[in-house]
């Protein structure tokens, strides 16, 4: 918001360009194509609709520019904002500029989501439980045990959904229920969403990207004061961006030699 960046919002009354990944490379194919329609079972269609609805609702929250207050401002320029929504509580919005293209970040944050624990120490494991086409999946995520973490470990079962319109990539998510994967012993099942990450090119700088992340999460913290939870979540966003930058820097090193 401080940089005056514009978020491209999908026009839901018109055709949306869905990402269709190449089965060999995992990379998005031509922007102008729409994924081939497939016959979905009723359960699978529910997940797809949940993902679309999460994206729609998240973008509505981001579109409302009023009421955002700054929580964190990093030396890198990353900023985390928050606002309180009636019936929802506090939601958080991260704005950051990264040295990567939207497609490269899509690869890290969606295609290779199961590898996130290799570069993000706050994640113990992410497992894809179900794929619905190329654009929707159901995942199980377990947060890492870290010293001094007052909240403790949490696990999440979420639907993740992606779409592409023009040069922007949208990654949406929300808590869901999977009959075959009930709450696990030893974990508190938290709920996320609607949430959304928007990846868009930074003007003429083709190798840089504006990342906007709406975080909306119920940690089921029980006795823990909301004031503590409301400190943990924006800091988690700031930490995530630091880890992602290290991941991108490590990838660039071999190219520089």
């Amino acid at each position: 918001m401080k940089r005056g960046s514009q978020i491209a919002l999908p026009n839901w009354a018109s055709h949306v360009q869905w990402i269709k990944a190449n089965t060999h490379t995992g990379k998005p194919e031509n922007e102008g194509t729409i994924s081939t329609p497939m016959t979905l079972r009723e359960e699978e269609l529910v997940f797809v609709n949940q993902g679309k609805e999460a994206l729609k609702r998240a973008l509505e929250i981001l579109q409302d520019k009023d009421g955002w207050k700054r929580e964190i401002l990093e030396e890198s320029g990353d900023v985390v904002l928050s606002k309180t929504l009636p019936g929802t509580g506090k939601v958080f919005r991260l704005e950051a500029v990264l040295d990567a293209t939207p497609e490269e970040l899509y690869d890290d944050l969606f295609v290779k989501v199961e590898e996130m624990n290799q570069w993000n120490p706050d994640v113990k494991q992410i497992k894809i439980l179900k794929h619905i086409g190329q654009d929707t999946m159901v995942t199980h995520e377990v947060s890492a045990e870290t010293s001094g973490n007052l909240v403790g470990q949490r696990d999440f079962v979420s639907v993740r959904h992606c779409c592409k319109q023009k040069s922007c990539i949208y990654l949406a998510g929300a808590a869901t229920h999977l009959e075959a994967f009930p709450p696990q012993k030893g974990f508190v099942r938290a709920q996320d969403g609607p949430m959304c990450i928007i990846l868009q090119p930074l003007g003429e700088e083709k190798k840089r990207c504006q990342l906007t992340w709406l975080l909306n999460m119920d940690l089921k913290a029980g006795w823990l004061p909301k004031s503590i939870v409301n400190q943990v979540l924006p800091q988690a966003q700031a930490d995530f961006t630091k880890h992602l930058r290290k991941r991108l820097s490590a990838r660039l090193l071999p190219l520089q030699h």
Side-chain angles (χ1 to χ4, degrees), residues 100-152:
T101 65
E103 288 76 14
E104 288 170 336
L105 292 176
Y106 157 75
D107 195 55
D108 279 325
L109 302 180
F110 194 85
V111 176
K112 297 179 180 176
V113 68
E114 289 187 316
E115 299 177 17
M116 191 177 291
N117 63 335
Q118 296 177 13
W119 54 268
N120 185 354
D122 293 329
V123 174
K124 181 177 181 180
Q125 173 184 292
I126 298 180
K127 180 71 175 175
I128 298 174
L129 304 177
K130 181 184 282 289
H131 267 295
I132 302 99
Q134 300 289 349
D135 309 317
T136 308
M137 65 177 78
V138 178
T139 61
H140 178 238
E141 177 177 346
V142 179
S143 64
E145 291 183 275
T146 56
S147 59
N149 183 357
L150 294 175
V151 176

Side-chain angles (χ1 to χ4, degrees), residues 208-226:
R208 305 190 79 200
C209 174
Q210 174 83 28
L211 182 149
T212 301
W213 176 16
L214 176 72
L215 178 63
N216 177 15
M217 186 175 291
D218 182 357
L219 291 173
K220 305 295 183 184
W223 58 271
L224 204 62
K226 279 191 176 182

Side-chain angles (χ1 to χ4, degrees), residues 56-188:
K56 181 175 182 290
R57 176 60 182 137
L59 292 177
E60 288 172 352
I61 295 172
L62 289 172
Q63 190 177 25
D64 186 354
K65 302 267 176 76
D66 296 330
W68 294 97
K69 298 179 180 179
R70 192 171 73 189
E71 296 276 343
I72 296 175
L73 177 62
E74 300 279 52
E75 290 184 3
S76 61
D78 298 352
V79 60
V80 181
L81 309 163
S82 71
K83 71 185 299 185
T84 302
L85 301 178
T88 299
K90 217 166 191 181
V91 298
F92 301 90
R93 168 181 179 159
L94 166 75
E95 297 278 0
V97 173
L98 298 169
D99 294 325
T101 65
E103 288 76 14
E104 288 170 336
L105 292 176
Y106 157 75
D107 195 55
D108 279 325
L109 302 180
F110 194 85
V111 176
K112 297 179 180 176
V113 68
E114 289 187 316
E115 299 177 17
M116 191 177 291
N117 63 335
Q118 296 177 13
W119 54 268
N120 185 354
D122 293 329
V123 174
K124 181 177 181 180
Q125 173 184 292
I126 298 180
K127 180 71 175 175
I128 298 174
L129 304 177
K130 181 184 282 289
H131 267 295
I132 302 99
Q134 300 289 349
D135 309 317
T136 308
M137 65 177 78
V138 178
T139 61
H140 178 238
E141 177 177 346
V142 179
S143 64
E145 291 183 275
T146 56
S147 59
N149 183 357
L150 294 175
V151 176
Q153 271 189 300
R154 293 292 187 270
D155 80 332
F156 308 81
V157 172
S158 310
V159 59
R160 297 173 186 248
H161 183 72
C162 67
C163 81
K164 186 171 188 178
Q165 187 178 37
K166 296 182 180 179
S167 58
C168 295
I169 297 175
Y170 303 85
L171 309 177
T176 192
H177 176 70
L178 195 63
E179 290 288 347
F181 208 87
Q184 305 294 294
K185 186 177 180 180
F187 296 106
V188 175

Side-chain angles (χ1 to χ4, degrees), residues 3-23:
R3 299 184 184 94
S5 58
Q6 297 295 315
I7 296 175
L9 300 176
N11 181 354
W12 295 93
S14 62
H15 293 294
V16 175
Q17 294 175 320
W18 303 105
I19 294 173
K20 183 179 180 182
N22 185 296
T23 55

